[in-house]
Amino acid sequence: RRCRASRRSSACLDGGSQFRFRPSASARMGAPKTAPATGKTGSVTTSGGSKFSWRDVAVHNTHDDCWIIVDGIVYDVTSWVDRHPGGAEVLLLCAGRECTEMMQSYHPFTDKPWKVLESYKVGVCTDKEFPTYERDTGFWNEVKTEVGNYFESNKIDSKHWFAGFWRMVPVFAAALAAFAIMHDMPLPVPGMGLGDDGSFAFDSAHTVRWSWAAKVLAATVYGICQALPLLHVMHDACHLAYSHSAELQIWAGRFCLDWFAGCSMLSWQHQHVVGHHIYTNVYEADPDVPPAHDPRRVVPEQPYSWVYKFQHLYMPVLYAILGLKMRYDDVVSVWLAKMDGPIRVNYFDPAWLRVFAVKGSWLAWRVGVPLLVLKQDGWDLLAVFLLAEAVTGWWLAFNFQVSHISTEASWPRVKPGSDMELDEEWAVSQVRTGVNYYANPFGDFLCGALNYQIEHHLFPCVSQYHYPAIAPIVQRVAKKHGIKYNNLPSYTAAITAHLTHLYNLGQSGIPVDLHLD
C-alpha cells in the first residue's frame, strides 16, 4: 500500500473514463525538508495578502511553528497549539497540511473552531497537495444537525470512555490467561522466588505443561484479544471519541496499540486519521488503497498481472501477516522514509521513543519473558507467537477490508479539466465509499462497530457505542438527499462482496463497475 507522496500534482486522463492524478517533474521532489531559498516560506505578497504554495506551508509542521490550511486559507496556529481543547497532538497531526475535512468531521456540532481561526489568518494557498472535494450542498449540514439534536435532546454525551473500558476488562483477563497457557507460566504459589544468582527460580512441581491443543486454542484466543482493544479503545481514542480528556485518550490509545500490540499510534494516526478518513478510496491519496505494484489490485489504474487472477484466493491467506507488516512499516516507512503511504509524517516527539523504545519494551515482555524468564523452548515460542499474530491479522483485516474494498463501495475520481477537484462532496463520499452490514450486539462487539462504517466516517469523534442509535438518522437523511446508503444484511454478504471485488479486478479484460457515476 506504500507509494510516494509526490504522485498528486496534476489531473490527467488514463484510459477510458478512469481518472487519476500523476506527478509533474517538480512534484517528484516531494515536500521540502527545509524552507525555500526565497525566504522562510517563499511566499508572495500581493495587494490581496500573502500567497503560499502547499510546499511553503508544509515546512511549518512543528510544535513551535504550526500552520494549517482550511478552505484554501492559511492559518498560523502556533500560539493555539497548547490551548487546543482536543490536545496538542491532534493539531500537530494537521500541521503543514490541508485539514478542511478534519475540521468538519471533528467539530460537527459546533462552529466555534471557525471563529477561533479568524484571528490566525496569514494568507491563502495557491495550489493543492491532494485533490479536494466539492462544497457541501446540504447533506452534511442536515445530517450533522440531526445527529447533534439527537445527543442534545436526549442529554447524551457523544464520548463514552466507560463503555469501552468495561468491555475490555474481560478481554484483557482472557488475554492474560491465554498468555499463561501459551507459555506454560508457573502458578503463583509458594516456592516461586529469586534464586541465589538473582534469577527467577520457579518450583517445577507447580509448573503446568499444557498440551499443544490447549496452546493452539490459547494462541487463538490471545490473537483475538490482541485485536479487540484496538477495535474498541484504541480506535475511539485515536479519533478523540473515547474521552473529553486529551491525556486519557493519548495514554489509552498508546497503551493498547503501542505497548500491548507493539505497533505505533504515530503511524496509525497518519495512515488512518489523516489519510484514509479524509481521502477514502481515492487512488494515490488514501494510504489504504494499494499503489501501482502491490499484491492486491483493487482499482483499474493498477497495472494488470496474471497473478491477480488468484488474488481472491491468496489475499485471505496473506491477511494473516497484517500485524507483522504494520510493525515493519512503522520502522521502514514511517521512521526511515518519513512517509505513511502518500502521507507525510509529522513527529511530535523523538522518533527513537515512538519506534525503538516502544517496540523494545513490547518485545521484552512478549518474547523476552517467555524465552528468558519462563525458559520456554524457542520453537514452541515461535509457533504460538506466529499463530497468535496470524489470528490478530486475520481478525483485523477481515473487519477492515469489507468496509471499503467491496463491490458496493464507490471510488471517487478527479473531474476531467478541473483543478484537482473530486467528483463529489466529502460527506456524500463517506456514505458512498463505506459499507455497513447488519450484526447483533455481540457481532457489533466483535467488530468494534466497524459494521457501522458510514456513521464512523461521518462522525469519527462520536463513540462507536452510539452508532446503532444514530444510524437510522444518517440513513433517513441520505435517502432524502438521494444518496445510496450501502447496508448489507450480514457479514457473510459483506465478505462475499469483498471477495467478489477482488475476483472482478483480478480478471483481465472484464469490465468492472466501480460506481464512478
PDB file of all heavy atoms in Angstrom, residues 225-254:
ATOM      1  N   CYS A 225      -7.964 -11.449  21.391  1.00  0.00           N
ATOM      2  CA  CYS A 225      -7.902 -10.465  22.480  1.00  0.00           C
ATOM      3  C   CYS A 225      -6.867  -9.373  22.211  1.00  0.00           C
ATOM      4  O   CYS A 225      -6.947  -8.291  22.792  1.00  0.00           O
ATOM      5  CB  CYS A 225      -7.582 -11.167  23.797  1.00  0.00           C
ATOM      6  SG  CYS A 225      -8.923 -12.217  24.402  1.00  0.00           S
ATOM      7  N   GLN A 226      -5.893  -9.641  21.360  1.00  0.00           N
ATOM      8  CA  GLN A 226      -4.946  -8.595  20.974  1.00  0.00           C
ATOM      9  C   GLN A 226      -5.590  -7.613  20.001  1.00  0.00           C
ATOM     10  O   GLN A 226      -5.268  -6.425  19.988  1.00  0.00           O
ATOM     11  CB  GLN A 226      -3.700  -9.214  20.333  1.00  0.00           C
ATOM     12  CG  GLN A 226      -2.613  -8.216  19.987  1.00  0.00           C
ATOM     13  CD  GLN A 226      -1.334  -8.867  19.508  1.00  0.00           C
ATOM     14  OE1 GLN A 226      -0.241  -8.580  19.993  1.00  0.00           O
ATOM     15  NE2 GLN A 226      -1.446  -9.771  18.546  1.00  0.00           N
ATOM     16  N   ALA A 227      -6.535  -8.111  19.200  1.00  0.00           N
ATOM     17  CA  ALA A 227      -7.202  -7.258  18.215  1.00  0.00           C
ATOM     18  C   ALA A 227      -8.327  -6.417  18.820  1.00  0.00           C
ATOM     19  O   ALA A 227      -8.525  -5.257  18.434  1.00  0.00           O
ATOM     20  CB  ALA A 227      -7.757  -8.129  17.080  1.00  0.00           C
ATOM     21  N   LEU A 228      -9.087  -6.972  19.746  1.00  0.00           N
ATOM     22  CA  LEU A 228     -10.282  -6.286  20.244  1.00  0.00           C
ATOM     23  C   LEU A 228     -10.009  -4.929  20.902  1.00  0.00           C
ATOM     24  O   LEU A 228     -10.753  -3.972  20.654  1.00  0.00           O
ATOM     25  CB  LEU A 228     -11.049  -7.206  21.212  1.00  0.00           C
ATOM     26  CG  LEU A 228     -11.802  -8.361  20.547  1.00  0.00           C
ATOM     27  CD1 LEU A 228     -12.422  -9.276  21.593  1.00  0.00           C
ATOM     28  CD2 LEU A 228     -12.882  -7.834  19.595  1.00  0.00           C
ATOM     29  N   PRO A 229      -8.966  -4.774  21.752  1.00  0.00           N
ATOM     30  CA  PRO A 229      -8.708  -3.439  22.304  1.00  0.00           C
ATOM     31  C   PRO A 229      -8.363  -2.411  21.230  1.00  0.00           C
ATOM     32  O   PRO A 229      -8.608  -1.217  21.414  1.00  0.00           O
ATOM     33  CB  PRO A 229      -7.514  -3.675  23.245  1.00  0.00           C
ATOM     34  CG  PRO A 229      -7.580  -5.117  23.597  1.00  0.00           C
ATOM     35  CD  PRO A 229      -8.081  -5.791  22.361  1.00  0.00           C
ATOM     36  N   LEU A 230      -7.818  -2.876  20.105  1.00  0.00           N
ATOM     37  CA  LEU A 230      -7.513  -1.959  19.011  1.00  0.00           C
ATOM     38  C   LEU A 230      -8.787  -1.500  18.320  1.00  0.00           C
ATOM     39  O   LEU A 230      -8.908  -0.342  17.910  1.00  0.00           O
ATOM     40  CB  LEU A 230      -6.588  -2.631  17.991  1.00  0.00           C
ATOM     41  CG  LEU A 230      -5.336  -3.313  18.546  1.00  0.00           C
ATOM     42  CD1 LEU A 230      -4.453  -3.809  17.419  1.00  0.00           C
ATOM     43  CD2 LEU A 230      -4.560  -2.370  19.452  1.00  0.00           C
ATOM     44  N   LEU A 231      -9.756  -2.408  18.203  1.00  0.00           N
ATOM     45  CA  LEU A 231     -11.021  -2.062  17.565  1.00  0.00           C
ATOM     46  C   LEU A 231     -11.913  -1.221  18.466  1.00  0.00           C
ATOM     47  O   LEU A 231     -12.801  -0.513  17.971  1.00  0.00           O
ATOM     48  CB  LEU A 231     -11.763  -3.344  17.170  1.00  0.00           C
ATOM     49  CG  LEU A 231     -11.085  -4.224  16.118  1.00  0.00           C
ATOM     50  CD1 LEU A 231     -11.857  -5.529  15.941  1.00  0.00           C
ATOM     51  CD2 LEU A 231     -10.958  -3.493  14.794  1.00  0.00           C
ATOM     52  N   HIS A 232     -11.690  -1.289  19.765  1.00  0.00           N
ATOM     53  CA  HIS A 232     -12.531  -0.555  20.714  1.00  0.00           C
ATOM     54  C   HIS A 232     -11.811   0.678  21.263  1.00  0.00           C
ATOM     55  O   HIS A 232     -11.970   1.778  20.739  1.00  0.00           O
ATOM     56  CB  HIS A 232     -12.971  -1.482  21.852  1.00  0.00           C
ATOM     57  CG  HIS A 232     -14.024  -2.460  21.442  1.00  0.00           C
ATOM     58  ND1 HIS A 232     -15.360  -2.281  21.721  1.00  0.00           N
ATOM     59  CD2 HIS A 232     -13.948  -3.644  20.774  1.00  0.00           C
ATOM     60  CE1 HIS A 232     -16.061  -3.286  21.238  1.00  0.00           C
ATOM     61  NE2 HIS A 232     -15.228  -4.143  20.663  1.00  0.00           N
ATOM     62  N   VAL A 233     -11.022   0.508  22.291  1.00  0.00           N
ATOM     63  CA  VAL A 233     -10.414   1.655  22.987  1.00  0.00           C
ATOM     64  C   VAL A 233      -9.477   2.438  22.073  1.00  0.00           C
ATOM     65  O   VAL A 233      -9.573   3.657  21.964  1.00  0.00           O
ATOM     66  CB  VAL A 233      -9.670   1.183  24.247  1.00  0.00           C
ATOM     67  CG1 VAL A 233      -8.911   2.350  24.886  1.00  0.00           C
ATOM     68  CG2 VAL A 233     -10.652   0.588  25.245  1.00  0.00           C
ATOM     69  N   MET A 234      -8.548   1.739  21.418  1.00  0.00           N
ATOM     70  CA  MET A 234      -7.582   2.457  20.578  1.00  0.00           C
ATOM     71  C   MET A 234      -8.271   3.213  19.451  1.00  0.00           C
ATOM     72  O   MET A 234      -7.965   4.378  19.189  1.00  0.00           O
ATOM     73  CB  MET A 234      -6.552   1.477  20.002  1.00  0.00           C
ATOM     74  CG  MET A 234      -5.423   2.157  19.211  1.00  0.00           C
ATOM     75  SD  MET A 234      -5.826   2.699  17.526  1.00  0.00           S
ATOM     76  CE  MET A 234      -6.094   1.120  16.703  1.00  0.00           C
ATOM     77  N   HIS A 235      -9.212   2.555  18.793  1.00  0.00           N
ATOM     78  CA  HIS A 235      -9.861   3.189  17.648  1.00  0.00           C
ATOM     79  C   HIS A 235     -10.641   4.428  18.066  1.00  0.00           C
ATOM     80  O   HIS A 235     -10.569   5.474  17.413  1.00  0.00           O
ATOM     81  CB  HIS A 235     -10.791   2.186  16.970  1.00  0.00           C
ATOM     82  CG  HIS A 235     -11.130   2.549  15.564  1.00  0.00           C
ATOM     83  ND1 HIS A 235     -12.130   1.925  14.858  1.00  0.00           N
ATOM     84  CD2 HIS A 235     -10.618   3.474  14.714  1.00  0.00           C
ATOM     85  CE1 HIS A 235     -12.218   2.437  13.655  1.00  0.00           C
ATOM     86  NE2 HIS A 235     -11.313   3.395  13.538  1.00  0.00           N
ATOM     87  N   ASP A 236     -11.378   4.340  19.163  1.00  0.00           N
ATOM     88  CA  ASP A 236     -12.076   5.525  19.660  1.00  0.00           C
ATOM     89  C   ASP A 236     -11.092   6.606  20.100  1.00  0.00           C
ATOM     90  O   ASP A 236     -11.302   7.795  19.852  1.00  0.00           O
ATOM     91  CB  ASP A 236     -12.982   5.141  20.828  1.00  0.00           C
ATOM     92  CG  ASP A 236     -14.388   4.748  20.369  1.00  0.00           C
ATOM     93  OD1 ASP A 236     -14.584   4.581  19.149  1.00  0.00           O
ATOM     94  OD2 ASP A 236     -15.278   4.599  21.224  1.00  0.00           O
ATOM     95  N   ALA A 237     -10.012   6.195  20.763  1.00  0.00           N
ATOM     96  CA  ALA A 237      -9.048   7.168  21.277  1.00  0.00           C
ATOM     97  C   ALA A 237      -8.351   7.931  20.158  1.00  0.00           C
ATOM     98  O   ALA A 237      -8.146   9.153  20.249  1.00  0.00           O
ATOM     99  CB  ALA A 237      -8.009   6.469  22.158  1.00  0.00           C
ATOM    100  N   CYS A 238      -7.982   7.245  19.089  1.00  0.00           N
ATOM    101  CA  CYS A 238      -7.271   7.933  18.004  1.00  0.00           C
ATOM    102  C   CYS A 238      -8.173   8.922  17.291  1.00  0.00           C
ATOM    103  O   CYS A 238      -7.687   9.854  16.650  1.00  0.00           O
ATOM    104  CB  CYS A 238      -6.682   6.919  17.024  1.00  0.00           C
ATOM    105  SG  CYS A 238      -7.825   6.282  15.782  1.00  0.00           S
ATOM    106  N   HIS A 239      -9.486   8.729  17.419  1.00  0.00           N
ATOM    107  CA  HIS A 239     -10.441   9.648  16.793  1.00  0.00           C
ATOM    108  C   HIS A 239     -11.031  10.655  17.782  1.00  0.00           C
ATOM    109  O   HIS A 239     -12.027  11.324  17.459  1.00  0.00           O
ATOM    110  CB  HIS A 239     -11.575   8.853  16.155  1.00  0.00           C
ATOM    111  CG  HIS A 239     -11.195   8.167  14.881  1.00  0.00           C
ATOM    112  ND1 HIS A 239     -10.789   8.852  13.763  1.00  0.00           N
ATOM    113  CD2 HIS A 239     -11.157   6.850  14.548  1.00  0.00           C
ATOM    114  CE1 HIS A 239     -10.532   7.993  12.786  1.00  0.00           C
ATOM    115  NE2 HIS A 239     -10.733   6.769  13.243  1.00  0.00           N
ATOM    116  N   LEU A 240     -10.462  10.743  18.984  1.00  0.00           N
ATOM    117  CA  LEU A 240     -10.950  11.675  20.010  1.00  0.00           C
ATOM    118  C   LEU A 240     -12.379  11.359  20.435  1.00  0.00           C
ATOM    119  O   LEU A 240     -13.108  12.243  20.897  1.00  0.00           O
ATOM    120  CB  LEU A 240     -10.876  13.128  19.521  1.00  0.00           C
ATOM    121  CG  LEU A 240      -9.562  13.591  18.896  1.00  0.00           C
ATOM    122  CD1 LEU A 240      -9.615  15.082  18.589  1.00  0.00           C
ATOM    123  CD2 LEU A 240      -8.371  13.271  19.767  1.00  0.00           C
ATOM    124  N   ALA A 241     -12.781  10.104  20.298  1.00  0.00           N
ATOM    125  CA  ALA A 241     -14.133   9.698  20.656  1.00  0.00           C
ATOM    126  C   ALA A 241     -14.194   8.989  22.000  1.00  0.00           C
ATOM    127  O   ALA A 241     -15.280   8.655  22.469  1.00  0.00           O
ATOM    128  CB  ALA A 241     -14.703   8.769  19.576  1.00  0.00           C
ATOM    129  N   TYR A 242     -13.053   8.758  22.619  1.00  0.00           N
ATOM    130  CA  TYR A 242     -13.013   7.973  23.847  1.00  0.00           C
ATOM    131  C   TYR A 242     -13.341   8.807  25.079  1.00  0.00           C
ATOM    132  O   TYR A 242     -14.058   8.362  25.963  1.00  0.00           O
ATOM    133  CB  TYR A 242     -11.629   7.342  24.006  1.00  0.00           C
ATOM    134  CG  TYR A 242     -11.518   6.369  25.166  1.00  0.00           C
ATOM    135  CD1 TYR A 242     -12.254   5.195  25.172  1.00  0.00           C
ATOM    136  CD2 TYR A 242     -10.668   6.634  26.240  1.00  0.00           C
ATOM    137  CE1 TYR A 242     -12.160   4.296  26.229  1.00  0.00           C
ATOM    138  CE2 TYR A 242     -10.559   5.740  27.298  1.00  0.00           C
ATOM    139  CZ  TYR A 242     -11.307   4.574  27.288  1.00  0.00           C
ATOM    140  OH  TYR A 242     -11.212   3.693  28.343  1.00  0.00           O
ATOM    141  N   SER A 243     -12.823  10.030  25.126  1.00  0.00           N
ATOM    142  CA  SER A 243     -12.983  10.858  26.327  1.00  0.00           C
ATOM    143  C   SER A 243     -12.821  12.322  25.968  1.00  0.00           C
ATOM    144  O   SER A 243     -12.278  12.665  24.909  1.00  0.00           O
ATOM    145  CB  SER A 243     -11.927  10.448  27.371  1.00  0.00           C
ATOM    146  OG  SER A 243     -11.843  11.378  28.422  1.00  0.00           O
ATOM    147  N   HIS A 244     -13.276  13.198  26.860  1.00  0.00           N
ATOM    148  CA  HIS A 244     -13.030  14.628  26.696  1.00  0.00           C
ATOM    149  C   HIS A 244     -11.635  15.006  27.178  1.00  0.00           C
ATOM    150  O   HIS A 244     -11.184  16.131  26.952  1.00  0.00           O
ATOM    151  CB  HIS A 244     -14.076  15.436  27.466  1.00  0.00           C
ATOM    152  CG  HIS A 244     -15.446  15.348  26.878  1.00  0.00           C
ATOM    153  ND1 HIS A 244     -15.823  16.036  25.752  1.00  0.00           N
ATOM    154  CD2 HIS A 244     -16.532  14.619  27.257  1.00  0.00           C
ATOM    155  CE1 HIS A 244     -17.081  15.757  25.456  1.00  0.00           C
ATOM    156  NE2 HIS A 244     -17.535  14.893  26.362  1.00  0.00           N
ATOM    157  N   SER A 245     -10.952  14.092  27.827  1.00  0.00           N
ATOM    158  CA  SER A 245      -9.596  14.331  28.309  1.00  0.00           C
ATOM    159  C   SER A 245      -8.591  13.929  27.238  1.00  0.00           C
ATOM    160  O   SER A 245      -8.515  12.748  26.859  1.00  0.00           O
ATOM    161  CB  SER A 245      -9.334  13.530  29.589  1.00  0.00           C
ATOM    162  OG  SER A 245      -7.945  13.518  29.894  1.00  0.00           O
ATOM    163  N   ALA A 246      -7.828  14.887  26.739  1.00  0.00           N
ATOM    164  CA  ALA A 246      -6.817  14.587  25.726  1.00  0.00           C
ATOM    165  C   ALA A 246      -5.774  13.622  26.264  1.00  0.00           C
ATOM    166  O   ALA A 246      -5.319  12.722  25.558  1.00  0.00           O
ATOM    167  CB  ALA A 246      -6.155  15.885  25.247  1.00  0.00           C
ATOM    168  N   GLU A 247      -5.391  13.805  27.526  1.00  0.00           N
ATOM    169  CA  GLU A 247      -4.365  12.932  28.116  1.00  0.00           C
ATOM    170  C   GLU A 247      -4.856  11.490  28.228  1.00  0.00           C
ATOM    171  O   GLU A 247      -4.117  10.548  27.932  1.00  0.00           O
ATOM    172  CB  GLU A 247      -3.957  13.450  29.501  1.00  0.00           C
ATOM    173  CG  GLU A 247      -3.196  14.765  29.500  1.00  0.00           C
ATOM    174  CD  GLU A 247      -4.082  15.968  29.253  1.00  0.00           C
ATOM    175  OE1 GLU A 247      -5.339  15.814  29.357  1.00  0.00           O
ATOM    176  OE2 GLU A 247      -3.550  17.048  28.949  1.00  0.00           O
ATOM    177  N   LEU A 248      -6.111  11.303  28.644  1.00  0.00           N
ATOM    178  CA  LEU A 248      -6.652   9.952  28.771  1.00  0.00           C
ATOM    179  C   LEU A 248      -6.702   9.270  27.407  1.00  0.00           C
ATOM    180  O   LEU A 248      -6.386   8.081  27.277  1.00  0.00           O
ATOM    181  CB  LEU A 248      -8.044  10.001  29.398  1.00  0.00           C
ATOM    182  CG  LEU A 248      -8.746   8.643  29.564  1.00  0.00           C
ATOM    183  CD1 LEU A 248      -7.912   7.693  30.416  1.00  0.00           C
ATOM    184  CD2 LEU A 248     -10.130   8.837  30.178  1.00  0.00           C
ATOM    185  N   GLN A 249      -7.092  10.000  26.385  1.00  0.00           N
ATOM    186  CA  GLN A 249      -7.164   9.422  25.048  1.00  0.00           C
ATOM    187  C   GLN A 249      -5.785   9.019  24.548  1.00  0.00           C
ATOM    188  O   GLN A 249      -5.608   7.951  23.948  1.00  0.00           O
ATOM    189  CB  GLN A 249      -7.821  10.397  24.079  1.00  0.00           C
ATOM    190  CG  GLN A 249      -9.283  10.614  24.416  1.00  0.00           C
ATOM    191  CD  GLN A 249     -10.049  11.363  23.350  1.00  0.00           C
ATOM    192  OE1 GLN A 249     -11.035  10.864  22.841  1.00  0.00           O
ATOM    193  NE2 GLN A 249      -9.606  12.557  23.031  1.00  0.00           N
ATOM    194  N   ILE A 250      -4.787   9.865  24.788  1.00  0.00           N
ATOM    195  CA  ILE A 250      -3.430   9.560  24.339  1.00  0.00           C
ATOM    196  C   ILE A 250      -2.910   8.304  25.009  1.00  0.00           C
ATOM    197  O   ILE A 250      -2.415   7.379  24.360  1.00  0.00           O
ATOM    198  CB  ILE A 250      -2.491  10.753  24.617  1.00  0.00           C
ATOM    199  CG1 ILE A 250      -2.820  11.912  23.660  1.00  0.00           C
ATOM    200  CG2 ILE A 250      -1.027  10.334  24.468  1.00  0.00           C
ATOM    201  CD1 ILE A 250      -2.064  13.188  23.965  1.00  0.00           C
ATOM    202  N   TRP A 251      -3.044   8.230  26.333  1.00  0.00           N
ATOM    203  CA  TRP A 251      -2.478   7.102  27.060  1.00  0.00           C
ATOM    204  C   TRP A 251      -3.276   5.822  26.862  1.00  0.00           C
ATOM    205  O   TRP A 251      -2.698   4.732  26.778  1.00  0.00           O
ATOM    206  CB  TRP A 251      -2.348   7.446  28.540  1.00  0.00           C
ATOM    207  CG  TRP A 251      -1.237   8.418  28.765  1.00  0.00           C
ATOM    208  CD1 TRP A 251      -1.351   9.738  29.085  1.00  0.00           C
ATOM    209  CD2 TRP A 251       0.161   8.158  28.623  1.00  0.00           C
ATOM    210  NE1 TRP A 251      -0.107  10.331  29.166  1.00  0.00           N
ATOM    211  CE2 TRP A 251       0.843   9.386  28.893  1.00  0.00           C
ATOM    212  CE3 TRP A 251       0.917   7.029  28.301  1.00  0.00           C
ATOM    213  CZ2 TRP A 251       2.229   9.486  28.840  1.00  0.00           C
ATOM    214  CZ3 TRP A 251       2.296   7.136  28.257  1.00  0.00           C
ATOM    215  CH2 TRP A 251       2.943   8.351  28.526  1.00  0.00           C
ATOM    216  N   ALA A 252      -4.594   5.924  26.740  1.00  0.00           N
ATOM    217  CA  ALA A 252      -5.400   4.732  26.480  1.00  0.00           C
ATOM    218  C   ALA A 252      -5.080   4.167  25.103  1.00  0.00           C
ATOM    219  O   ALA A 252      -4.918   2.950  24.927  1.00  0.00           O
ATOM    220  CB  ALA A 252      -6.886   5.056  26.582  1.00  0.00           C
ATOM    221  N   GLY A 253      -4.987   5.056  24.119  1.00  0.00           N
ATOM    222  CA  GLY A 253      -4.681   4.620  22.765  1.00  0.00           C
ATOM    223  C   GLY A 253      -3.299   4.020  22.651  1.00  0.00           C
ATOM    224  O   GLY A 253      -3.107   2.959  22.036  1.00  0.00           O
ATOM    225  N   ARG A 254      -2.314   4.674  23.247  1.00  0.00           N
ATOM    226  CA  ARG A 254      -0.937   4.169  23.163  1.00  0.00           C
ATOM    227  C   ARG A 254      -0.762   2.884  23.959  1.00  0.00           C
ATOM    228  O   ARG A 254       0.015   2.004  23.550  1.00  0.00           O
ATOM    229  CB  ARG A 254       0.037   5.228  23.661  1.00  0.00           C
ATOM    230  CG  ARG A 254       0.184   6.408  22.714  1.00  0.00           C
ATOM    231  CD  ARG A 254       1.242   7.373  23.196  1.00  0.00           C
ATOM    232  NE  ARG A 254       1.295   8.554  22.353  1.00  0.00           N
ATOM    233  CZ  ARG A 254       2.090   9.601  22.581  1.00  0.00           C
ATOM    234  NH1 ARG A 254       2.888   9.584  23.641  1.00  0.00           N
ATOM    235  NH2 ARG A 254       2.086  10.628  21.772  1.00  0.00           N
TER     236      ARG A 254
END
